Amino acid sequence: MSAFNLLPPQASTLAPAVDRLYLFLVAVSTVIVGIVVVLVLTYIIRYRHTVNADRRQPSLQNLPLEWGRIGTLAVVFLVIFFWGAGLYFRINSPPADAKVIYMIGKQWMWQVQHAEGVREIDTLHVPVGQPIKLVMTSQDVIHSVFIPAFRAKQDVLPGRYTALWFEATQPGEYHLFCAEYCGTHHASMVGKVVAMAPAAFASWLAQRGPEGARRTLATAGRAQFQRLGCMGCHGPQSAIRAPNLAGIYGKPQPLRTGEFVIADEDYLRESIYFPERKVVAGYEPVMPSFQGQISEAEMIEIIAYLKSLANRTSYDLPEEIRP
Ligand code: CUA
């Protein structure tokens, strides 16, 4: 690394686009400050005390100047608006094929759960050249994940999932910060992102994977599902008491209120912790809350399990991730 950098390295697909807008804003500001400085200096010299200048009231009418000023500013601000809005939508629209990695913030560490079953603390390994979508929640207070080299930042909130996506372009190690004051050791809530070539990432996963048994997030979630006795009500046999959960992920669910809700991560989490809030049409609000019985980490496993059943009609895990 060179001794002095104005900006962190550009290590994601979005980084150059964010920097271009940022530099444009700096350039516009510089031009305006430059105009002000030049005018101040010009008038200081032209109207200084000892000079016998024309000091009569100038005419207050100059329509071409007024319209020119209004028009120029309007164009500049509209350029900033459309440019910024376009970038905002890009930053907030993860590609559909993005690889999902779950992350939990807690005082004061980052806990990462890969779909393949690997867990890590304060370190996030990702492959380069593939869009990654972090699905995140907090176990206590508000945190914020910030990866300067990727120009990526997103608040991590207790009680809901937020997402952040990026695609790393260069292998290397990059800072991972908490960017929201979250208590005494906020400053030490730092880690690193390790971006690796896809082959190196695959072998890292294989090495770190749980010995022998393929305990993926989904299989772990299936074990939770059995441990908690979810099958007792949600099983195919007992569909009178509770809906079958196979195949619901990502699809609209009709509620008793007549509304529809997409069965995404947030809805599943909410329905497990607060079952009475959004009851599915045709069922009674009889499910007990599992608050206090399921940690956020276990919740992510259960959601990964239900997600793996997205295109199925039974509770069997899909072939490719069966242990
Ligand atoms: Cu977590 Cu600051």
Side-chain angles (χ1 to χ4, degrees), residues 5-272:
N5 291 312
L6 270 182
L7 294 171
Q10 296 179 331
S12 78
T13 51
L14 286 172
V18 173
D19 287 358
R20 272 195 295 276
L21 176 60
Y22 180 69
L23 291 176
F24 174 76
L25 293 175
V26 171
V28 169
S29 309
T30 307
V31 167
I32 290 172
V33 168
I35 291 173
V36 171
V37 168
V38 166
L39 286 178
V40 165
L41 291 177
T42 307
Y43 291 140
I44 282 177
I45 293 165
R46 189 190 290 175
Y47 295 107
R48 68 189 188 279
H49 184 54
T50 51
V51 168
N52 192 15
D54 178 5
R55 294 175 203 273
R56 285 171 302 170
Q57 268 299 344
S59 158
L60 293 176
Q61 280 273 355
N62 190 337
L63 276 182
L65 179 70
E66 290 292 336
W67 281 112
R69 197 186 61 171
I70 292 169
T72 311
L73 283 182
V75 167
V76 170
F77 281 121
L78 284 175
V79 166
I80 293 173
F81 169 74
F82 283 108
W83 191 345
L87 195 54
Y88 180 85
F89 282 117
R90 234 179 112 189
I91 288 172
N92 285 286
S93 316
D97 62 339
K99 176 182 166 62
V100 173
I101 298 177
Y102 295 92
M103 194 146 93
I104 299 174
K106 53 175 126 174
Q107 291 170 320
W108 285 274
M109 62 163 89
W110 297 106
Q111 182 186 316
V112 176
Q113 290 170 278
H114 292 266
E116 293 80 1
V118 176
R119 289 159 183 267
E120 42 186 345
I121 301 279
D122 288 343
T123 310
L124 171 63
H125 285 75
V126 294
V128 298
Q130 185 182 355
I132 304 291
K133 180 182 171 191
L134 295 179
V135 174
M136 307 174 293
T137 189
S138 164
Q139 209 169 288
D140 35 52
V141 299
I142 299 177
H143 304 276
S144 180
V145 65
F146 181 32
I147 310 167
F150 296 168
R151 310 293 188 273
K153 183 161 173 273
Q154 172 63 49
D155 278 7
V156 178
L157 310 172
R160 56 179 281 196
Y161 290 106
T162 54
L164 169 74
W165 86 274
F166 56 79
E167 181 179 331
T169 50
Q170 296 166 41
E173 290 191 4
Y174 307 103
H175 289 297
L176 170 76
F177 293 118
C178 178
E180 183 72 53
Y181 181 68
C182 56
T184 315
H185 299 293
H186 157 71
S188 63
M189 193 167 164
V190 295
K192 62 182 178 185
V193 178
V194 183
M196 309 169 95
F201 178 74
S203 69
W204 175 83
L205 264 187
Q207 278 170 20
R208 286 286 308 270
E211 327 71 48
R214 295 174 64 194
R215 193 175 179 277
T216 64
L217 264 191
T219 57
R222 188 177 140 92
Q224 298 290 353
F225 208 72
Q226 283 159 347
R227 175 179 75 85
L228 296 158
C230 306
M231 232 30 136
C233 294
H234 288 284
Q237 260 52 269
S238 42
I240 312 116
R241 255 185 295 174
N244 187 325
L245 300 180
I248 67 159
Y249 181 83
K251 301 193 184 74
Q253 304 298 315
L255 301 183
R256 279 159 64 96
T257 55
E259 291 164 302
F260 280 80
V261 63
I262 300 285
D264 57 5
E265 285 103 347
D266 260 325
Y267 172 68
L268 294 176
R269 181 186 178 284
E270 185 180 21
S271 296
I272 294 170

